Every structure is written in structure tokens, then in C-alpha cells.
Amino acid sequence: MESSKITIIDVAKKAGVSKGTVDRVLHNRGEVSAKSAEKVRKAIEELNFVPNVYASLLASKKPKTIICLMPEFTEGEFWEKEYKGFMMGAAQVKELNINIEFLFYDQYDTTSFVSASEKVLEAAPGGVIMPALFQEETHKFAQRLQEAEIPYFYVDTKVMDDDNFLGYIGMPRRDSGKVCAALLTGNCSVDDVKEIAVVRIKREGDPTKRRRIGFMDYIKENFPQAKVTNIFIDPADPAQTNAEMAKYFEKHPKARFMVMFNSRIHLLADALAARKGHRMTVVGFDDLPRNLELMRQGLVNVLIAQHTEEQSARAIQTMADYLISKKKPEVRDNYVHIDILTRHNMENY
């Protein structure tokens, strides 16, 4: 038998003792006769049994806590998918004495993030998992985590000039921006792309900055004459969004290219519906139900997506591995596939 497939039950059978006896010998808890202990040790040697480090953690009965520091969300938003992934991961590590706790903050308010990060430090968890929506504030927080010797893991976005994080999982942000630009412009000639609308959220910080940089790199290289117009909208004010979009289309009645780098292309539903029938290419991000519905209606051409739940579940598992056995991920930057959804493949994603 391969040593990796041998279990404590195999050792118990080989030694002619109970599973509990083997467990007591493995963790040196006494209450085992010298004769039985010798049988167990001999069976372990003959079977080349390697004790499971997870079982060792269970035996130690020393629970560890991972805090997920993340934005507040409502049903159907991107961060709900992230939260569900964390809960999937929590279920997978529950029996390992790993507790998952959450601290939430307003993703549009740096003060809210700083307040939540202070609570994390007060709790002194075994590890922290978080996105980096506010680069400067997250960097300062990460430095304090380092001082407190608390490992931390980034999901979805990370601090670009941080070299001390345990790991990151998410899209390669800059590359995803380049892919977005290529999909938006397709096989267009240089003369075809004269104006591009980039719809952005009014907010503190800019978590889509790297994606926008990659997008602009591609446009400048391939369509240097194209004018890129930024339209800023308030996600909490639909009337303001519709007014800003109407103002743009009034000035650019022949507008053909529009992109939004975050998960909220669905905020443009009314404005895009009003333009239905016009020749437009619209690209957004993330497979939220409301975004998919716009694609079904033919208002959005492409969504760039990722398996968000699987990513955050993997982050939990990776942090658990580190807390249990100090096992670091083989690669710190775990870049995921950049998935491209259209009306032709969206239903099976």
C-alpha cells in the first residue's frame, strides 16, 4: 500500500488494537500499555504510516481563527459571491478547529475600512484574508499585520508594492484590462475606433486601476487616435446615472464602444435599453445575475468572468494549511483564468 493511502484504521488492524489506542500512541496521551504501544509503533514502521497533520491539529484542540475582512454587500452583488466562497471554505476546514469570522466595511468609505481593520488587530486572529480596495490604507494595515506576525492573504485585488503577503488569488488585473480592450474593439480597423466610453464609479480609492491601465495600454498601442471619455456615476443614485449616460449619448449619438471595469454594468440597464437598436459593443465584468440578464437581452456583448466562489474557498484552504503546518503556497500569485462569456456560452458557465 502507498503510505499516503494508509490510515489510522490500517495501523489499528495491523497492530490488533483499537483506533483509539493508535490515536493515544500517536499523540502521547498515555493510558496505553507498553505492549500495545510497541505493537502500534511496529505497525507504523512496517506500514510506513505518515500521521496526518490535520489529525494532529484536532488532537491538540487548539482552535485557530481566520478573519475575512471584506465589503458589505446586498443580494446579487459581487461580494456576495466572495462571501459564499468563504463559507464554502469554512465548511471544508470546520473539522480542523479552524473558525472563520467576518468583519465588514463600506467599500466606498476609507474610514469604515480603517475602523474594521483596527477591530481585526484587536482580535489578533491566526490569519487574515482580504481584498485591497483601498491601496494606501490596506498597505498600512498589512504592515501592522506583519508587525503582529499575523499572516494575510489577498483575494481579487492586492497591494501592488507589498512583498510580504502569504498569497494572492484572482485575475491578473492588468492583463484582464488588455483582454477587455481586445474584446471591445474586436477586428475593428484603426479608423473604426474613434471614441470609447469608460463608465466608472464615483468612490474613494480605485480598485480597478490596474485593469484600466492594461486597457489603456492596449488602446494606445492599437488605436492611438481613439478618444477615451470617462463617465462617473453614483451607484446609489440611478437618476444621476441615467442623466450622465443621457448626457454622454447626446454628445456622442454615434457612440459604439462602452466598457465598465467592475461588476456593475447592470447599473447601465436603462441607458443601454434606450440605445437598443444602435450599433454598440458593450463589455462588462463578472457573471452576476443582473449582468447575465443584460446579455440575454442583447444589451451587453461580453462579460469577463471568474469562478469567484472557488477562489475565496481556496484562499481559506491555503490559509488553513499555513496555520496548521506552516505550508506556504507553491506560488504566491495564483492567477486564475480570464473567462469570456457571451450569449452562446453563458448558460453553461
Side-chain angles (χ1 to χ4, degrees):
M1 297 177 66
E2 295 181 16
S3 59
S4 61
K5 296 182 180 179
I6 295 170
T7 68
I8 193 173
I9 296 175
D10 298 316
V11 174
K13 288 180 179 179
K14 179 76 173 177
V17 299
S18 69
K19 176 182 174 182
T21 297
V22 176
D23 184 77
R24 286 192 290 275
V25 172
L26 285 172
H27 302 108
N28 197 27
R29 284 202 290 266
E31 301 178 10
V32 180
S33 68
K35 184 177 180 180
S36 294
E38 180 58 30
K39 287 182 178 180
V40 171
R41 283 191 284 270
K42 185 177 180 181
I44 288 173
E45 183 178 352
E46 291 179 357
L47 293 173
N48 193 27
F49 172 66
V50 179
N52 191 327
V53 292
Y54 289 168
S56 297
L57 178 68
L58 287 175
S60 71
K61 296 184 178 179
K62 295 179 181 178
K64 296 183 182 295
T65 298
I66 298 172
I67 289 183
C68 298
L69 178 61
M70 63 177 295
E72 301 164 340
F73 59 86
T74 58
E75 184 177 357
E77 292 185 339
F78 172 81
W79 296 109
E80 181 186 30
K81 294 170 72 67
E82 199 81 69
Y83 175 79
K84 288 180 177 179
F86 286 141
M87 293 303 293
M88 287 167 50
Q92 293 165 356
V93 303
K94 183 178 181 181
E95 294 184 356
L96 307 177
N97 278 351
I98 300 286
N99 301 319
I100 309 300
E101 297 181 0
F102 293 87
L103 276 171
F104 298 95
Y105 59 89
D106 182 346
Q107 65 172 302
Y108 301 110
D109 183 0
T110 55
T111 303
S112 176
F113 170 78
V114 171
S115 176
S117 65
E118 288 293 338
K119 292 178 182 177
V120 173
L121 291 166
E122 290 173 8
V128 176
I129 301 175
M130 59 184 174
L133 300 190
F134 305 106
Q135 288 283 303
E136 183 178 347
E137 289 76 12
T138 303
H139 197 184
K140 292 178 181 177
F141 175 50
Q143 290 175 327
R144 295 182 66 186
L145 289 173
Q146 294 166 39
E147 293 169 0
E149 297 184 345
I150 298 173
Y152 57 97
F153 193 103
Y154 290 122
V155 292
D156 190 63
T157 54
K158 67 176 182 177
V159 174
M160 295 309 301
D161 54 352
D162 182 0
D163 296 321
N164 298 291
F165 59 98
L166 177 63
Y168 164 75
I169 185 166
M171 281 188 190
R173 306 285 288 186
R174 192 164 183 165
D175 288 348
S176 70
K178 291 182 179 180
V179 169
C180 177
L183 292 169
L184 184 72
T185 55
N187 295 319
C188 294
S189 68
V190 172
D191 293 333
D192 288 334
V193 185
K194 298 177 180 178
E195 174 81 25
I196 299 174
V198 175
V199 184
R200 299 169 60 183
I201 298 290
K202 286 183 179 178
R203 60 174 302 147
E204 295 181 60
D206 184 6
T208 65
K209 182 178 180 179
R210 294 287 295 174
R211 190 170 281 165
R212 183 159 46 85
I213 290 173
F215 180 90
M216 291 304 301
D217 286 346
Y218 183 95
I219 295 301
K220 288 176 182 177
E221 180 180 351
N222 294 279
F223 303 96
Q225 83 297 337
K227 180 182 178 182
V228 177
T229 300
N230 291 292
I231 306 170
F232 290 90
I233 64 171
D234 182 347
D237 189 348
Q240 182 269 350
T241 296
N242 291 336
E244 289 297 320
M245 297 303 295
K247 187 188 303 181
Y248 174 78
F249 286 130
E250 183 178 354
K251 289 184 178 180
H252 307 87
K254 296 182 179 181
R256 288 183 51 194
F257 304 97
M258 183 165 290
V259 63
M260 201 165 182
F261 297 128
N262 54 45
S263 63
R264 298 195 170 194
I265 194 73
H266 59 81
L267 294 176
L268 310 184
D270 291 343
L272 293 176
R275 293 283 296 178
K276 192 169 185 178
H278 290 260
R279 185 184 176 191
M280 278 195 69
T281 301
V282 180
V283 177
F285 281 77
D286 296 306
D287 59 326
L288 304 187
R290 285 177 288 181
N291 291 348
L292 294 171
E293 182 55 33
L294 290 189
M295 198 147 61
R296 289 189 189 95
Q297 296 174 19
L299 302 178
V300 171
N301 301 84
V302 179
L303 289 173
I304 298 173
Q306 56 192 320
H307 288 288
T308 306
E309 295 94 332
E310 294 178 11
Q311 293 170 198
S312 46
R314 279 178 56 191
I316 293 285
Q317 293 165 350
T318 303
M319 181 63 77
D321 283 342
Y322 182 76
L323 295 181
I324 292 167
S325 61
K326 296 300 179 183
K327 177 184 176 183
K328 293 184 178 181
E330 294 182 5
V331 179
R332 281 208 308 173
D333 287 317
N334 295 272
Y335 294 124
V336 299
H337 294 161
I338 300 174
D339 298 329
I340 299 170
L341 302 186
T342 70
R343 280 187 292 174
H344 306 294
N345 67 344
M346 58 180 281
E347 303 298 350
N348 299 317
Y349 184 64

